Structure formats: C-alpha cells, structure tokens
Amino acid sequence: MTAVVEPQTMARLAYAPCTTKFQLQGKATGTQIPFKFDTIDGNRPKSNANTVFLWQTSDLRIPSTAPLFSMPVKKDEPKGSDVFQPVSLERKPYLMGYGVGPEVKNICSLLLFNEQGEEQKHFFADLSIKEVGTDSVTFKYFMPAGTKGVTDRDWFGLWETDSPADLYSSRPVATGYPSGNLHEGDGALFHGLIRDRKYTIGYFKGGYQDGNPKQTTLACTETFTA
C-alpha cells in the first residue's frame, strides 16, 4: 500500500515574516511630522525612490484622490528616521503612506494620526503561508486597503534562500501575480521544492513585467523550510 503524503502546514515550518514598518516618532505638529521606517534588509530607500505620502482623512485606507504632499526618503539605510515638513497641517486627522517606489501604487504601509498629532492606527503589508507541497506553495497576502494588485502591477516570487536581502538582486525561481484587484487574497507559486531546504517568498508593490519584473519594490517576505 502506498502512503499518502499530505501537504505540510506552516505552523511548524514558517519563520517570522519581514515587512516594511512605518510609524510616527513622537507627535506630529502643525509643520512637522517625525517618522521612523524599518524596511527589509537590502533595501536602499533613497536609491529605490522610496516615498512618503500624506492625505487629510480619518480612514486607514488609501484615498482615490491625489495626496496633499509627498516626500522622497533621503537615506539609503533600510532603517532610519526623518521629518516630513509639509507647508502646514490643520487640526484634523491625517493618513501617511510609505511607498517602496515613487508612486502611490507603491504604498505598502500606512499610519493614521489624530487631531492631536498622535498615532492612532497603522498597517503593514503581510504574507501568511498556507501549505507547502512537493512542487508548490500557497499563501495569503495582505496589502493596504485602497490598493489594486492587478492595476498596480504587483507581483510575487520565490527564491531558494533564507535571506530577504537576496530578493533585491538574485533572480527568482518562480513568479506570479495577483488574480484580481482586491487588496488581499490568495497566491500560489509552482516549483519543485527540495525537502529541508529554505525558501523565501517576496511580495512586490508594483513593477511586474514579463521576464524582467522590478525587484526594488519589495514590500514583505516570508521564509519557510520545505
């Protein structure tokens, strides 16, 4: 009798995901918004045109209207802090978005602060692996509300590595893209997986193109053992 091998669940196989974190550092004032960022190792925010955007809204969702202000990140270390200095802020709630590129479609992290300039909520992009088979891996992805995976040309890939920094330079062994425009959904990547070898999935906010997807827009990753 032939034994049936069930797909492995990720409760015992996944490592902690890596993501792009973005939060206030202190309180916002009428003219300054101090913030800190903690992106993925290997990212070069200035060189990769990482950008911060601002809207006046009380919703933790990217609006369909153009941002009031935007500012490129001035540092090339993956972690750091800076001060956003728009012309002036009213005593109202505001939404800030961190993009791993120069456009709104590249936003992968959000923070919301209230009328007193205090951070109220935040959102970070996330991956959650569901099952690992012999030749495929399935997962769920969670991007900011208001983003559109297909329209934004998001994509995801698979690498034979346990180092997220490798995803900026080495080529993936498999790629895919969202099947719809919801900001969260299911994904799958197909590749022969070798038992006990470590792999990493990366989700990229924008830059998909056949044969040569852009690798600077990495939003989050998760590593697992096959």
Side-chain angles (χ1 to χ4, degrees):
M1 181 176 178
T2 303
V4 177
V5 179
E6 296 292 339
Q8 301 179 73
T9 61
M10 292 313 301
R12 59 189 177 86
L13 297 174
Y15 297 75
C18 295
T19 190
T20 302
K21 298 178 182 178
F22 177 54
Q23 295 176 275
L24 283 187
Q25 189 168 39
K27 293 176 62 174
T29 69
T31 57
Q32 294 188 337
I33 311 173
F35 65 89
K36 58 184 177 181
F37 57 92
D38 185 355
T39 67
I40 297 169
D41 286 346
N43 183 30
R44 300 175 63 195
K46 180 180 178 180
S47 298
N48 294 338
N50 288 192
T51 304
V52 177
F53 301 87
L54 180 73
W55 288 266
Q56 194 284 298
T57 179
S58 59
D59 293 329
L60 193 68
R61 179 186 184 89
I62 300 173
S64 58
T65 56
L68 297 175
F69 303 100
S70 64
M71 184 191 86
V73 178
K74 306 181 188 73
K75 302 179 180 181
D76 251 347
E77 294 77 29
K79 301 178 184 180
S81 60
D82 208 336
V83 178
F84 194 1
Q85 295 179 299
V87 176
S88 64
L89 296 178
E90 298 180 63
R91 196 172 179 82
K92 295 180 178 180
Y94 285 86
L95 176 74
M96 296 180 71
Y98 188 100
V100 286
E103 301 180 67
V104 170
K105 68 181 180 182
N106 303 128
I107 292 174
C108 59
S109 297
L110 300 173
L111 71 83
L112 189 69
F113 62 87
N114 62 16
E115 295 88 342
Q116 289 74 44
E118 300 167 335
E119 182 173 333
Q120 292 294 100
K121 300 178 183 178
H122 61 250
F123 172 88
F124 307 145
D126 193 22
L127 284 174
S128 177
I129 297 177
K130 295 169 64 178
E131 289 186 344
V132 176
T134 57
D135 58 4
S136 67
V137 56
T138 59
F139 55 93
K140 291 190 71 68
Y141 58 84
F142 306 88
M143 296 296 124
T147 59
K148 299 178 179 180
V150 173
T151 301
D152 296 344
R153 301 193 67 78
D154 293 1
W155 68 283
F156 38 79
L158 178 69
W159 280 257
E160 293 184 4
T161 183
D162 61 355
S163 172
D166 292 341
L167 277 60
Y168 289 98
S169 56
S170 62
R171 303 302 296 172
V173 296
T175 60
Y177 49 86
S179 59
N181 264 333
L182 296 177
H183 64 277
E184 59 182 61
D186 297 313
L189 289 161
F190 300 92
H191 181 73
L193 303 176
I194 300 173
R195 184 179 294 276
D196 296 327
R197 182 166 294 181
K198 291 181 174 64
Y199 295 86
T200 298
I201 294 174
Y203 191 105
F204 295 75
K205 276 301 294 148
Y208 180 77
Q209 53 186 333
D210 290 334
N212 189 31
K214 192 173 185 177
Q215 292 179 232
T216 58
T217 57
L218 183 59
C220 61
T221 74
E222 185 157 14
T223 298
F224 65 94
T225 301

